[in-house]
Amino acid sequence: MGETHHARRRRLAALIAERDAGALLVTRLVNVRYLTGLDSSRAALLVPADGAAVLATDGRYAGMAAQVCPELPVIVDRQVAAALVTRAAADGHARLGFEAHDVTVEQHAELRGQAEIELAALGHLVEDLRRVKDEEEIALLREACAITDRAFEAALPGIRAGVTEREVAVALERAMVDLGAEGPAFASIVASGPNGAIAHHHPGGRELRRGDLVTMDFGARYGGYHADMTRTVAIGEPAGWQRDVYDLVHRAQRAGLDAAVPGAETKDVDAAARDVIEAAGHGDAFTHGLGHGVGLEIHEAPLLGYDKTGKLMDRVPITAEPGVYLTGRGGVRIEDTFVVRADGPELLTTTTKDLLVL
């Protein structure tokens, strides 16, 4: 992907030039990976508005950098950001952008003392680039989601009365790894019975029981890209209220998916699903935004919520995950990862959304 990373750096250089800076110091590790391919715990990148980028990392990753991004000159130094500030000053840059959302106040003071150079916060430039994915990225996401689907199918026979939430979570995560995932995309959620009313419940020792709804929120990480899927199943024949709530959430998700087209305001997409739930009298029980972007991080821009701003674009992968949470009774959430496309959403998670009765 060398040419891909080079193209990303060129696009970033153009944004840097628009903001009247000589270069940008990239310190967020996920952004360094996006721009170079290097996945490390200590690295930074200097991207000039005009000229070649320079990577800094420590001795543990020097060999890997030479393999992953051989086109980049590498400074080997444990103080990666300081080394690049010195390099920027030596290259004659008078104004250096930095990622203010990543650099602490203490780090900023240290960098200011490193060289005679102006440090300027330029905003979330790399994250803005990352929002729209290229087809290589979407292919990695598609595989992460396929692994997630297959893992659910593999774990399904073991989801029954008598097993604990924690055991179900472990089974899902083991299946994802066995099927080729690098690991889970995040800590899996398994919430049974009344625990289903807690949107981000931590799976514990509660045993699944007949009459429970069980919500499972999980995903695989593949090639650095994160899948996210939620399914709610019934243990034994569901009660009428459980079917009603499930059908309501299913309809709300469909409305959100239909609204997620290029050019749509993110708050309007959220509203399309939220309005369905509010009309049924459960508006107060939908306690979070409709969804979020996914990619090299499990939560990326854009965010879909009633108070969020921005528009969707083609090739933006996001989730749609409406839920209804009824304290003391249980809850339902249904979530898919999909790609916004001009001709309609491309679902990457494809497991059935019919209510499964186990």
Side-chain angles (χ1 to χ4, degrees):
M1 293 179 67
E3 180 54 38
T4 297
H5 294 119
H6 182 60
R8 293 172 184 172
R9 296 194 296 270
R10 286 200 308 268
R11 291 197 298 272
L12 178 59
L15 296 177
I16 296 166
E18 289 176 3
R19 284 155 179 79
D20 196 28
L24 174 68
L25 175 65
V26 180
T27 52
R28 282 202 74 207
L29 291 173
V30 66
N31 289 343
V32 174
R33 180 174 185 174
Y34 175 76
L35 294 167
T36 69
L38 179 67
D39 180 19
S40 76
S41 63
R42 191 184 297 274
L45 185 69
L46 181 67
V47 182
D50 183 19
V54 179
L55 176 68
T57 188
D58 67 24
R60 295 172 299 166
Y61 298 105
M64 184 185 300
Q67 291 180 344
V68 173
C69 42
E71 75 281 5
L72 290 177
V74 178
I75 296 174
V76 179
D77 193 315
R78 285 190 61 79
Q79 303 303 318
V80 291
L84 290 178
V85 170
T86 299
R87 175 63 178 262
D91 288 346
H93 298 303
R95 188 167 187 261
L96 176 64
F98 73 101
E99 296 182 309
H101 52 293
D102 182 65
V103 175
T104 67
V105 173
E106 181 178 12
Q107 290 168 339
H108 182 263
E110 292 172 352
L111 295 178
R112 282 185 63 190
Q114 192 67 30
E116 288 293 326
I117 192 169
E118 178 190 352
L119 297 178
L122 299 188
H124 296 223
L125 295 188
V126 184
E127 287 85 355
D128 289 343
L129 286 177
R130 285 171 47 200
R131 186 184 304 238
V132 176
K133 305 299 190 286
D134 57 46
E135 293 299 339
E136 293 176 73
E137 293 179 284
I138 292 172
L140 292 170
L141 273 170
R142 190 177 290 114
E143 181 58 24
C145 290
I147 291 170
T148 303
D149 284 320
R150 295 197 298 269
F152 181 70
E153 183 179 1
L156 202 56
I159 302 171
R160 61 183 186 276
V163 302
T164 67
E165 293 171 340
R166 186 179 298 111
E167 287 170 335
V168 174
V170 169
L172 288 167
E173 293 181 355
R174 181 183 298 118
M176 288 188 285
V177 172
D178 288 346
L179 289 164
E182 296 168 343
F186 53 92
S188 301
I189 295 169
V190 178
S192 62
N195 291 337
I198 304 169
H200 279 187
H201 172 71
H202 297 288
R206 184 185 185 277
E207 294 183 353
L208 278 55
R209 304 169 190 170
R210 290 186 62 81
D212 282 351
L213 291 175
V214 182
T215 297
M216 292 158 284
D217 187 342
F218 60 102
R221 187 180 74 253
Y222 180 83
Y225 285 78
H226 296 68
D228 199 353
M229 181 174 82
T230 305
R231 291 295 185 268
T232 300
V233 301
I235 306 299
E237 188 61 30
W241 72 266
Q242 292 174 321
R243 283 197 179 275
D244 289 345
V245 171
Y246 190 93
D247 291 345
L248 172 64
V249 173
H250 194 180
R251 292 199 310 274
Q253 198 216 27
R254 183 68 259 172
L257 289 170
D258 289 344
V261 297
E265 294 282 350
T266 53
K267 64 181 180 180
D268 292 341
V269 179
D270 177 272
R274 194 172 301 276
D275 288 351
V276 174
I277 293 173
E278 288 182 346
H282 287 302
D284 291 343
F286 182 13
T287 55
H288 52 76
L290 178 62
H292 54 86
V294 289
L296 285 170
E297 296 177 285
I298 186 58
H299 293 108
E300 296 188 353
L303 301 178
L304 278 61
Y306 66 88
D307 57 346
K308 305 303 179 185
T309 59
K311 292 184 178 182
L312 295 181
M313 294 176 281
D314 190 49
R315 302 201 322 272
V316 172
I318 55 177
T319 68
E321 50 179 306
V324 169
Y325 311 97
L326 304 176
T327 302
R329 302 176 74 186
V332 173
R333 183 165 67 253
I334 302 172
E335 176 185 23
D336 286 298
T337 297
F338 67 100
V339 182
V340 176
R341 301 283 195 183
D343 56 353
E346 178 192 352
L347 283 174
L348 301 185
T349 45
T350 59
T351 293
T352 182
K353 285 174 280 193
D354 293 337
L355 178 58
L356 298 179
V357 179
L358 307 179

